[in-house]
Tab-separated table of all heavy atoms in Angstrom:
chain	number	residue	atom	x	y	z
A	1	MET	N	98.374	120.871	101.911
A	1	MET	CA	98.174	119.642	101.299
A	1	MET	C	98.059	119.794	99.886
A	1	MET	O	97.021	120.089	99.299
A	1	MET	CB	96.998	118.762	101.806
A	1	MET	CG	96.738	117.530	101.123
A	1	MET	SD	95.255	116.645	101.963
A	1	MET	CE	95.985	115.020	102.096
A	2	ASN	N	99.073	119.791	99.054
A	2	ASN	CA	99.068	120.104	97.529
A	2	ASN	C	99.742	118.921	96.890
A	2	ASN	O	100.651	119.002	96.118
A	2	ASN	CB	99.819	121.349	97.341
A	2	ASN	CG	99.439	121.913	95.960
A	2	ASN	OD1	98.530	121.314	95.372
A	2	ASN	ND2	99.953	122.886	95.603
A	3	PHE	N	99.253	117.685	97.179
A	3	PHE	CA	99.832	116.434	96.502
A	3	PHE	C	99.306	116.306	95.134
A	3	PHE	O	98.250	116.744	94.820
A	3	PHE	CB	99.413	115.258	97.321
A	3	PHE	CG	99.750	115.184	98.925
A	3	PHE	CD1	98.911	115.370	99.820
A	3	PHE	CD2	101.097	114.849	99.103
A	3	PHE	CE1	99.370	115.273	101.207
A	3	PHE	CE2	101.560	114.935	100.367
A	3	PHE	CZ	100.654	115.069	101.467
A	4	ALA	N	100.221	115.743	94.444
A	4	ALA	CA	99.814	115.282	93.134
A	4	ALA	C	98.776	114.298	93.066
A	4	ALA	O	98.885	113.312	93.954
A	4	ALA	CB	101.011	114.751	92.288
A	5	VAL	N	97.608	114.433	92.415
A	5	VAL	CA	96.524	113.592	92.439
A	5	VAL	C	96.774	112.545	91.073
A	5	VAL	O	96.418	112.919	90.044
A	5	VAL	CB	95.137	114.263	92.318
A	5	VAL	CG1	94.054	113.127	92.311
A	5	VAL	CG2	94.947	115.103	93.580
A	6	ASP	N	97.315	111.342	91.368
A	6	ASP	CA	97.550	110.564	90.416
A	6	ASP	C	97.213	109.078	90.595
A	6	ASP	O	97.546	108.099	89.860
A	6	ASP	CB	99.004	110.674	89.843
A	6	ASP	CG	100.048	110.291	91.080
A	6	ASP	OD1	99.570	109.930	92.119
A	6	ASP	OD2	101.214	110.619	90.793
A	7	ASP	N	96.385	108.974	91.586
A	7	ASP	CA	95.883	107.625	92.034
A	7	ASP	C	94.554	107.755	92.734
A	7	ASP	O	94.310	108.853	93.280
A	7	ASP	CB	96.763	106.669	92.626
A	7	ASP	CG	97.106	107.139	94.086
A	7	ASP	OD1	96.314	106.990	94.987
A	7	ASP	OD2	98.288	107.597	94.188
A	8	ARG	N	93.619	106.842	92.791
A	8	ARG	CA	92.289	106.928	93.398
A	8	ARG	C	92.484	107.197	94.960
A	8	ARG	O	91.794	108.084	95.443
A	8	ARG	CB	91.613	105.656	93.186
A	8	ARG	CG	90.271	105.589	93.903
A	8	ARG	CD	89.510	104.307	93.622
A	8	ARG	NE	88.096	104.272	94.229
A	8	ARG	CZ	87.962	103.832	95.368
A	8	ARG	NH1	88.935	103.240	96.166
A	8	ARG	NH2	86.708	103.856	95.987
A	9	ALA	N	93.324	106.446	95.650
A	9	ALA	CA	93.459	106.644	97.035
A	9	ALA	C	93.929	108.044	97.395
A	9	ALA	O	93.291	108.570	98.410
A	9	ALA	CB	94.525	105.599	97.596
A	10	THR	N	94.847	108.588	96.586
A	10	THR	CA	95.328	109.901	96.885
A	10	THR	C	94.165	110.844	96.722
A	10	THR	O	93.834	111.811	97.421
A	10	THR	CB	96.549	110.331	96.111
A	10	THR	OG1	97.637	109.473	96.496
A	10	THR	CG2	96.958	111.754	96.361
A	11	GLY	N	93.533	110.718	95.649
A	11	GLY	CA	92.224	111.560	95.310
A	11	GLY	C	91.260	111.508	96.333
A	11	GLY	O	90.889	112.603	96.741
A	12	LEU	N	90.903	110.471	96.843
A	12	LEU	CA	89.832	110.294	97.905
A	12	LEU	C	90.353	110.952	99.198
A	12	LEU	O	89.620	111.546	99.903
A	12	LEU	CB	89.470	108.831	97.965
A	12	LEU	CG	88.722	108.203	96.942
A	12	LEU	CD1	88.450	106.687	97.127
A	12	LEU	CD2	87.447	108.874	96.677
A	13	ALA	N	91.690	110.784	99.489
A	13	ALA	CA	92.267	111.363	100.729
A	13	ALA	C	92.220	112.749	100.573
A	13	ALA	O	91.961	113.414	101.742
A	13	ALA	CB	93.657	110.872	100.897
A	14	VAL	N	92.638	113.332	99.423
A	14	VAL	CA	92.619	114.879	99.374
A	14	VAL	C	91.202	115.395	99.597
A	14	VAL	O	91.032	116.306	100.231
A	14	VAL	CB	93.047	115.291	97.968
A	14	VAL	CG1	92.823	116.569	97.612
A	14	VAL	CG2	94.600	114.952	97.862
A	15	ILE	N	90.229	114.685	99.005
A	15	ILE	CA	88.842	115.158	99.108
A	15	ILE	C	88.361	115.113	100.598
A	15	ILE	O	87.699	116.080	101.082
A	15	ILE	CB	87.813	114.300	98.149
A	15	ILE	CG1	88.133	114.648	96.704
A	15	ILE	CG2	86.428	114.577	98.555
A	15	ILE	CD1	87.491	113.601	95.748
A	16	GLN	N	88.554	114.050	101.205
A	16	GLN	CA	88.199	113.774	102.611
A	16	GLN	C	88.861	114.887	103.445
A	16	GLN	O	88.210	115.401	104.293
A	16	GLN	CB	88.501	112.437	103.120
A	16	GLN	CG	88.048	112.133	104.489
A	16	GLN	CD	88.444	110.741	104.846
A	16	GLN	OE1	89.380	110.077	104.359
A	16	GLN	NE2	87.768	110.272	105.867
A	17	HIS	N	90.115	115.067	103.339
A	17	HIS	CA	90.910	115.928	104.245
A	17	HIS	C	90.420	117.508	104.115
A	17	HIS	O	90.166	118.069	104.988
A	17	HIS	CB	92.312	115.902	103.807
A	17	HIS	CG	93.210	116.930	104.481
A	17	HIS	ND1	93.627	116.801	105.938
A	17	HIS	CD2	93.749	118.118	104.192
A	17	HIS	CE1	94.363	117.831	106.218
A	17	HIS	NE2	94.470	118.650	105.177
A	18	LEU	N	90.212	117.774	102.836
A	18	LEU	CA	89.743	119.263	102.546
A	18	LEU	C	88.218	119.400	103.082
A	18	LEU	O	87.922	120.396	103.439
A	18	LEU	CB	90.007	119.669	101.128
A	18	LEU	CG	91.474	119.745	100.707
A	18	LEU	CD1	91.704	120.009	99.251
A	18	LEU	CD2	92.196	120.857	101.675
A	19	GLN	N	87.477	118.454	102.816
A	19	GLN	CA	86.021	118.446	103.265
A	19	GLN	C	86.000	118.713	104.704
A	19	GLN	O	85.217	119.353	105.300
A	19	GLN	CB	85.229	117.235	102.803
A	19	GLN	CG	84.937	117.422	101.244
A	19	GLN	CD	84.180	116.208	100.779
A	19	GLN	OE1	84.382	115.047	101.318
A	19	GLN	NE2	83.357	116.377	99.739
A	20	ALA	N	86.838	117.922	105.391
A	20	ALA	CA	86.887	117.948	107.042
A	20	ALA	C	87.432	119.319	107.442
A	20	ALA	O	86.819	119.968	108.423
A	20	ALA	CB	87.819	116.899	107.414
A	21	ARG	N	88.409	119.853	106.696
A	21	ARG	CA	89.007	121.236	107.106
A	21	ARG	C	87.914	122.273	106.880
A	21	ARG	O	87.714	123.210	107.613
A	21	ARG	CB	90.135	121.685	106.151
A	21	ARG	CG	91.479	121.086	106.685
A	21	ARG	CD	92.587	121.414	105.999
A	21	ARG	NE	92.747	122.898	105.880
A	21	ARG	CZ	93.496	123.635	105.098
A	21	ARG	NH1	94.385	122.980	104.227
A	21	ARG	NH2	93.626	124.941	105.089
A	22	ALA	N	87.202	122.116	105.780
A	22	ALA	CA	86.191	123.161	105.436
A	22	ALA	C	84.943	123.053	106.487
A	22	ALA	O	84.523	124.008	106.893
A	22	ALA	CB	85.525	122.803	104.053
A	23	ALA	N	84.583	121.831	106.754
A	23	ALA	CA	83.494	121.683	107.801
A	23	ALA	C	83.894	122.227	109.132
A	23	ALA	O	83.211	123.032	109.758
A	23	ALA	CB	83.139	120.223	107.975
A	24	ALA	N	85.248	122.057	109.484
A	24	ALA	CA	85.673	122.645	110.798
A	24	ALA	C	85.724	124.169	110.726
A	24	ALA	O	85.404	124.763	111.830
A	24	ALA	CB	87.057	122.101	111.138
A	25	ALA	N	85.815	124.688	109.605
A	25	ALA	CA	85.961	126.184	109.503
A	25	ALA	C	84.681	126.807	109.113
A	25	ALA	O	84.557	127.879	109.005
A	25	ALA	CB	86.920	126.480	108.354
A	26	GLY	N	83.624	125.856	109.117
A	26	GLY	CA	82.261	126.426	108.591
A	26	GLY	C	82.102	126.922	107.191
A	26	GLY	O	81.370	127.806	106.856
A	27	ILE	N	82.911	126.434	106.249
A	27	ILE	CA	82.984	126.738	104.932
A	27	ILE	C	82.264	125.620	103.990
A	27	ILE	O	82.664	124.473	104.242
A	27	ILE	CB	84.426	126.978	104.407
A	27	ILE	CG1	84.925	128.106	105.211
A	27	ILE	CG2	84.452	127.245	102.909
A	27	ILE	CD1	86.392	128.434	104.895
A	28	THR	N	81.463	126.089	103.180
A	28	THR	CA	80.872	124.989	102.223
A	28	THR	C	81.574	125.107	100.974
A	28	THR	O	81.746	126.149	100.295
A	28	THR	CB	79.377	125.473	102.013
A	28	THR	OG1	78.670	125.529	103.223
A	28	THR	CG2	78.670	124.529	101.182
A	29	LEU	N	82.081	123.918	100.556
A	29	LEU	CA	82.806	123.723	99.296
A	29	LEU	C	81.831	123.151	98.285
A	29	LEU	O	80.772	122.537	98.596
A	29	LEU	CB	84.001	122.661	99.379
A	29	LEU	CG	85.017	123.139	100.485
A	29	LEU	CD1	86.007	122.029	100.567
A	29	LEU	CD2	85.764	124.331	100.049
A	30	ARG	N	82.079	123.445	96.986
A	30	ARG	CA	81.278	122.805	95.932
A	30	ARG	C	81.435	121.285	96.023
A	30	ARG	O	82.524	120.783	96.641
A	30	ARG	CB	81.652	123.307	94.593
A	30	ARG	CG	82.803	123.003	93.945
A	30	ARG	CD	82.868	123.447	92.510
A	30	ARG	NE	84.213	123.213	91.824
A	30	ARG	CZ	84.503	122.145	91.284
A	30	ARG	NH1	83.594	121.219	91.021
A	30	ARG	NH2	85.673	121.946	90.757
A	31	GLU	N	80.541	120.502	95.456
A	31	GLU	CA	80.644	119.049	95.516
A	31	GLU	C	81.923	118.599	94.868
A	31	GLU	O	82.359	119.079	93.804
A	31	GLU	CB	79.314	118.445	94.915
A	31	GLU	CG	79.232	117.080	95.179
A	31	GLU	CD	77.950	116.618	94.813
A	31	GLU	OE1	76.906	117.282	94.960
A	31	GLU	OE2	77.804	115.380	94.316
A	32	ALA	N	82.541	117.557	95.533
A	32	ALA	CA	83.780	117.084	94.753
A	32	ALA	C	83.346	116.279	93.585
A	32	ALA	O	82.257	115.736	93.444
A	32	ALA	CB	84.490	116.124	95.858
A	33	PRO	N	84.253	116.032	92.645
A	33	PRO	CA	83.991	115.298	91.409
A	33	PRO	C	83.596	113.841	91.726
A	33	PRO	O	84.387	113.222	92.550
A	33	PRO	CB	85.308	115.376	90.547
A	33	PRO	CG	86.105	116.355	91.219
A	33	PRO	CD	85.732	116.628	92.554
A	34	PRO	N	82.606	113.282	91.065
A	34	PRO	CA	82.229	111.814	91.486
A	34	PRO	C	83.302	111.021	90.761
A	34	PRO	O	83.871	111.320	89.727
A	34	PRO	CB	80.849	111.759	90.855
A	34	PRO	CG	80.912	112.727	89.707
A	34	PRO	CD	81.634	113.887	90.160
A	35	GLU	N	83.532	109.850	91.395
A	35	GLU	CA	84.541	108.828	90.765
A	35	GLU	C	83.882	108.361	89.348
A	35	GLU	O	82.722	108.220	89.331
A	35	GLU	CB	84.637	107.699	91.672
A	35	GLU	CG	85.457	107.998	92.916
A	35	GLU	CD	85.708	106.699	93.660
A	35	GLU	OE1	86.414	105.895	93.282
A	35	GLU	OE2	85.203	106.701	94.876
A	36	PRO	N	84.755	108.092	88.364
A	36	PRO	CA	84.232	107.515	87.188
A	36	PRO	C	83.566	106.096	87.221
A	36	PRO	O	84.089	105.344	88.284
A	36	PRO	CB	85.445	107.516	86.258
A	36	PRO	CG	86.591	107.603	87.186
A	36	PRO	CD	86.072	108.206	88.400
A	37	VAL	N	82.703	105.767	86.470
A	37	VAL	CA	82.112	104.442	86.608
A	37	VAL	C	82.342	103.602	85.270
A	37	VAL	O	81.945	102.481	85.171
A	37	VAL	CB	80.592	104.481	86.859
A	37	VAL	CG1	80.360	104.977	88.272
A	37	VAL	CG2	79.796	105.429	85.940
A	38	GLY	N	82.932	104.190	84.218
A	38	GLY	CA	82.967	103.539	82.895
A	38	GLY	C	84.368	103.128	82.543
A	38	GLY	O	84.754	102.920	81.396
A	39	CYS	N	85.306	102.813	83.583
A	39	CYS	CA	86.636	102.364	83.178
A	39	CYS	C	86.642	100.971	82.746
A	39	CYS	O	85.997	100.125	83.450
A	39	CYS	CB	87.506	102.580	84.460
A	39	CYS	SG	89.172	102.037	83.993
A	40	CYS	N	87.309	100.632	81.681
A	40	CYS	CA	87.363	99.264	81.202
A	40	CYS	C	88.466	98.442	81.768
A	40	CYS	O	88.588	97.240	81.624
A	40	CYS	CB	87.399	99.216	79.581
A	40	CYS	SG	88.890	99.936	79.083
A	41	GLY	N	89.418	99.118	82.440
A	41	GLY	CA	90.579	98.593	83.048
A	41	GLY	C	91.729	98.096	82.237
A	41	GLY	O	92.599	97.355	82.533
A	42	ARG	N	91.639	98.666	80.941
A	42	ARG	CA	92.701	98.321	79.870
A	42	ARG	C	93.845	99.267	79.735
A	42	ARG	O	94.705	99.215	78.942
A	42	ARG	CB	92.189	98.060	78.511
A	42	ARG	CG	91.213	96.805	78.510
A	42	ARG	CD	90.657	96.609	77.174
A	42	ARG	NE	89.470	97.376	76.995
A	42	ARG	CZ	88.695	97.356	75.970
A	42	ARG	NH1	88.877	96.524	75.007
A	42	ARG	NH2	87.648	98.157	75.956
A	43	GLY	N	93.905	100.398	80.672
A	43	GLY	CA	94.892	101.392	80.628
A	43	GLY	C	94.884	102.248	79.295
A	43	GLY	O	95.939	102.587	78.802
A	44	CYS	N	93.674	102.581	78.885
A	44	CYS	CA	93.574	103.337	77.750
A	44	CYS	C	94.291	104.804	77.828
A	44	CYS	O	94.285	105.323	78.946
A	44	CYS	CB	92.063	103.674	77.475
A	44	CYS	SG	91.036	102.227	77.290
A	45	ASN	N	94.755	105.286	76.745
A	45	ASN	CA	95.251	106.539	76.653
A	45	ASN	C	94.008	107.570	76.767
A	45	ASN	O	93.130	107.471	75.997
A	45	ASN	CB	96.042	106.884	75.360
A	45	ASN	CG	96.697	108.219	75.330
A	45	ASN	OD1	96.913	108.780	76.342
A	45	ASN	ND2	96.991	108.686	74.173
A	46	GLY	N	94.011	108.401	77.778
A	46	GLY	CA	92.871	109.307	77.937
A	46	GLY	C	91.800	108.564	78.829
A	46	GLY	O	90.657	108.773	78.675
A	47	CYS	N	92.420	107.727	79.735
A	47	CYS	CA	91.379	107.029	80.643
A	47	CYS	C	90.513	107.925	81.477
A	47	CYS	O	90.869	109.009	81.819
A	47	CYS	CB	92.200	106.142	81.537
A	47	CYS	SG	91.224	105.212	82.835
A	48	VAL	N	89.383	107.458	81.716
A	48	VAL	CA	88.389	108.280	82.468
A	48	VAL	C	88.955	108.636	83.860
A	48	VAL	O	88.718	109.655	84.535
A	48	VAL	CB	87.015	107.535	82.710
A	48	VAL	CG1	86.333	107.427	81.371
A	48	VAL	CG2	87.139	106.297	83.422
A	49	TRP	N	89.958	107.783	84.398
A	49	TRP	CA	90.567	108.082	85.730
A	49	TRP	C	91.557	109.316	85.577
A	49	TRP	O	91.669	110.197	86.426
A	49	TRP	CB	91.383	106.928	86.269
A	49	TRP	CG	90.351	105.976	86.836
A	49	TRP	CD1	89.971	104.775	86.268
A	49	TRP	CD2	89.684	105.963	88.069
A	49	TRP	NE1	88.991	104.072	87.147
A	49	TRP	CE2	88.890	104.925	88.241
A	49	TRP	CE3	89.720	106.898	89.089
A	49	TRP	CZ2	88.137	104.661	89.416
A	49	TRP	CZ3	88.898	106.671	90.190
A	49	TRP	CH2	88.123	105.619	90.312
A	50	GLU	N	92.150	109.391	84.392
A	50	GLU	CA	93.064	110.583	84.183
A	50	GLU	C	92.190	111.910	84.278
A	50	GLU	O	92.693	112.940	84.881
A	50	GLU	CB	93.677	110.508	82.827
A	50	GLU	CG	94.725	109.434	82.760
A	50	GLU	CD	95.343	109.302	81.426
A	50	GLU	OE1	95.097	110.006	80.483
A	50	GLU	OE2	96.078	108.262	81.186
A	51	GLY	N	91.093	111.873	83.715
A	51	GLY	CA	90.122	112.966	83.853
A	51	GLY	C	89.684	113.459	85.201
A	51	GLY	O	89.498	114.532	85.702
A	52	TRP	N	89.409	112.229	85.971
A	52	TRP	CA	89.067	112.330	87.264
A	52	TRP	C	90.240	113.029	88.187
A	52	TRP	O	89.880	113.864	89.073
A	52	TRP	CB	88.465	111.145	87.891
A	52	TRP	CG	88.036	111.149	89.234
A	52	TRP	CD1	86.803	111.640	89.809
A	52	TRP	CD2	88.563	110.737	90.575
A	52	TRP	NE1	86.621	111.529	91.131
A	52	TRP	CE2	87.860	111.021	91.584
A	52	TRP	CE3	89.804	110.134	90.886
A	52	TRP	CZ2	88.164	110.770	93.026
A	52	TRP	CZ3	90.166	109.988	92.115
A	52	TRP	CH2	89.252	110.283	93.146
A	53	PHE	N	91.418	112.527	87.979
A	53	PHE	CA	92.523	113.046	88.682
A	53	PHE	C	92.758	114.554	88.382
A	53	PHE	O	92.899	115.306	89.342
A	53	PHE	CB	93.837	112.219	88.252
A	53	PHE	CG	93.920	110.719	88.538
A	53	PHE	CD1	94.543	109.932	87.786
A	53	PHE	CD2	93.041	110.222	89.517
A	53	PHE	CE1	94.552	108.627	87.969
A	53	PHE	CE2	93.162	108.826	89.705
A	53	PHE	CZ	93.859	107.987	89.033
A	54	ALA	N	92.580	114.887	87.149
A	54	ALA	CA	92.617	116.360	86.893
A	54	ALA	C	91.575	117.145	87.428
A	54	ALA	O	91.693	118.216	88.042
A	54	ALA	CB	92.516	116.492	85.433
A	55	ALA	N	90.278	116.560	87.537
A	55	ALA	CA	89.119	117.252	88.077
A	55	ALA	C	89.313	117.447	89.585
A	55	ALA	O	88.997	118.508	90.194
A	55	ALA	CB	87.965	116.505	87.806
A	56	VAL	N	89.897	116.256	90.173
A	56	VAL	CA	90.199	116.476	91.703
A	56	VAL	C	91.204	117.428	91.964
A	56	VAL	O	91.150	118.290	92.910
A	56	VAL	CB	90.498	115.120	92.295
A	56	VAL	CG1	91.011	115.138	93.801
A	56	VAL	CG2	89.313	114.136	92.247
A	57	ALA	N	92.176	117.498	91.144
A	57	ALA	CA	93.226	118.564	91.402
A	57	ALA	C	92.695	119.924	91.192
A	57	ALA	O	93.179	120.889	92.047
A	57	ALA	CB	94.481	118.374	90.344
A	58	TYR	N	91.874	120.126	90.306
A	58	TYR	CA	91.259	121.457	90.142
A	58	TYR	C	90.330	121.672	91.341
A	58	TYR	O	90.493	122.875	91.856
A	58	TYR	CB	90.457	121.414	88.796
A	58	TYR	CG	89.874	122.865	88.471
A	58	TYR	CD1	90.670	123.973	87.948
A	58	TYR	CD2	88.538	123.240	88.883
A	58	TYR	CE1	90.129	125.104	87.644
A	58	TYR	CE2	88.071	124.357	88.493
A	58	TYR	CZ	88.665	125.395	87.952
A	58	TYR	OH	88.244	126.587	87.739
A	59	TRP	N	89.608	120.766	91.705
A	59	TRP	CA	88.651	120.989	92.931
A	59	TRP	C	89.545	121.273	94.214
A	59	TRP	O	89.257	122.155	94.946
A	59	TRP	CB	87.894	119.703	93.142
A	59	TRP	CG	87.020	119.753	94.357
A	59	TRP	CD1	85.718	120.210	94.352
A	59	TRP	CD2	87.324	119.318	95.627
A	59	TRP	NE1	85.220	120.155	95.614
A	59	TRP	CE2	86.153	119.547	96.460
A	59	TRP	CE3	88.367	118.904	96.305
A	59	TRP	CZ2	86.139	119.322	97.786
A	59	TRP	CZ3	88.315	118.560	97.645
A	59	TRP	CH2	87.281	118.811	98.455
A	60	ARG	N	90.651	120.581	94.282
A	60	ARG	CA	91.606	120.803	95.392
A	60	ARG	C	92.120	122.197	95.431
A	60	ARG	O	92.075	122.864	96.459
A	60	ARG	CB	92.902	119.936	95.367
A	60	ARG	CG	93.897	120.081	96.378
A	60	ARG	CD	95.230	119.606	95.913
A	60	ARG	NE	95.641	120.251	94.690
A	60	ARG	CZ	96.480	119.729	93.712
A	60	ARG	NH1	96.931	118.435	93.894
A	60	ARG	NH2	96.673	120.283	92.579
A	61	ASP	N	92.561	122.720	94.289
A	61	ASP	CA	93.001	124.010	94.222
A	61	ASP	C	91.951	125.118	94.647
A	61	ASP	O	92.266	126.025	95.275
A	61	ASP	CB	93.566	124.384	92.836
A	61	ASP	CG	94.833	123.532	92.596
A	61	ASP	OD1	95.384	122.978	93.412
A	61	ASP	OD2	95.199	123.450	91.275
A	62	GLU	N	90.704	124.899	94.183
A	62	GLU	CA	89.611	125.756	94.434
A	62	GLU	C	89.400	125.704	96.017
A	62	GLU	O	89.046	126.703	96.716
A	62	GLU	CB	88.273	125.350	93.737
A	62	GLU	CG	88.219	125.824	92.390
A	62	GLU	CD	86.976	125.570	91.763
A	62	GLU	OE1	86.174	124.589	92.130
A	62	GLU	OE2	86.479	126.387	90.817
A	63	ALA	N	89.383	124.483	96.530
A	63	ALA	CA	89.088	124.387	98.020
A	63	ALA	C	90.261	125.018	98.738
A	63	ALA	O	89.968	125.675	99.748
A	63	ALA	CB	89.095	122.865	98.396
A	64	LEU	N	91.477	124.834	98.345
A	64	LEU	CA	92.498	125.464	99.208
A	64	LEU	C	92.422	127.029	99.197
A	64	LEU	O	92.705	127.665	100.130
A	64	LEU	CB	93.917	125.169	98.597
A	64	LEU	CG	94.319	123.560	98.967
A	64	LEU	CD1	95.486	123.227	98.139
A	64	LEU	CD2	94.438	123.457	100.375
A	65	PHE	N	91.919	127.542	97.988
A	65	PHE	CA	91.611	128.921	97.848
A	65	PHE	C	90.701	129.508	98.759
A	65	PHE	O	90.771	130.453	99.423
A	65	PHE	CB	91.410	129.484	96.420
A	65	PHE	CG	91.319	130.897	96.174
A	65	PHE	CD1	92.319	131.600	96.104
A	65	PHE	CD2	89.891	131.213	96.014
A	65	PHE	CE1	92.019	133.068	95.943
A	65	PHE	CE2	89.703	132.747	95.926
A	65	PHE	CZ	90.791	133.541	95.835
A	66	ALA	N	89.501	128.639	98.926
A	66	ALA	CA	88.453	128.943	99.778
A	66	ALA	C	88.970	128.955	101.163
A	66	ALA	O	88.289	129.587	102.115
A	66	ALA	CB	87.247	128.058	99.562
A	67	LEU	N	89.775	128.074	101.552
A	67	LEU	CA	90.222	127.926	102.950
A	67	LEU	C	91.337	128.787	103.377
A	67	LEU	O	91.734	128.803	104.486
A	67	LEU	CB	90.700	126.414	103.192
A	67	LEU	CG	89.556	125.347	103.079
A	67	LEU	CD1	90.205	123.899	102.865
A	67	LEU	CD2	88.756	125.486	104.218
A	68	GLU	N	91.811	129.627	102.440
A	68	GLU	CA	92.908	130.543	102.721
A	68	GLU	C	92.337	131.610	103.736
A	68	GLU	O	91.185	132.055	103.696
A	68	GLU	CB	93.360	131.332	101.497
A	68	GLU	CG	94.293	130.534	100.694
A	68	GLU	CD	94.775	131.329	99.540
A	68	GLU	OE1	94.415	132.517	99.298
A	68	GLU	OE2	95.562	130.748	98.711
A	69	PRO	N	93.166	131.920	104.760
A	69	PRO	CA	92.687	132.898	105.860
A	69	PRO	C	92.606	134.338	105.247
A	69	PRO	O	93.032	134.632	104.264
A	69	PRO	CB	93.785	132.865	106.858
A	69	PRO	CG	94.883	132.123	106.270
A	69	PRO	CD	94.480	131.572	105.035
């Protein structure tokens, strides 16, 4: 599961999927990035959601590395 994280739904799905895989394997992952709370909804350049998408992608890559056999 190496989807591009570019929307909230995908980000949350990636987190949920990898946390479930880790739990099934008995692996503890670091905490996933919290969702932003300061978005104004105006589509700003450098929106807090863009930062969250990047943080989730980084977290995803770390989780996938931890889950490698």
Side-chain angles (χ1 to χ4, degrees):
M1 178 178 223
N2 199 6
F3 297 109
V5 179
D6 55 8
D7 63 75
R8 180 179 180 266
T10 301
L12 293 175
V14 165
I15 291 168
Q16 182 181 24
H17 174 77
L18 291 173
Q19 286 175 332
R21 277 186 58 194
I27 296 171
T28 302
L29 301 175
R30 72 175 175 89
E31 195 168 320
E35 289 184 65
V37 293
C39 180
C40 65
R42 291 184 276 193
C44 302
N45 185 21
C47 176
V48 294
W49 284 102
E50 292 174 9
W52 186 75
F53 300 152
V56 170
Y58 185 83
W59 180 89
R60 175 204 59 211
D61 293 345
E62 282 188 330
L64 289 170
F65 181 76
L67 290 166
E68 285 182 357

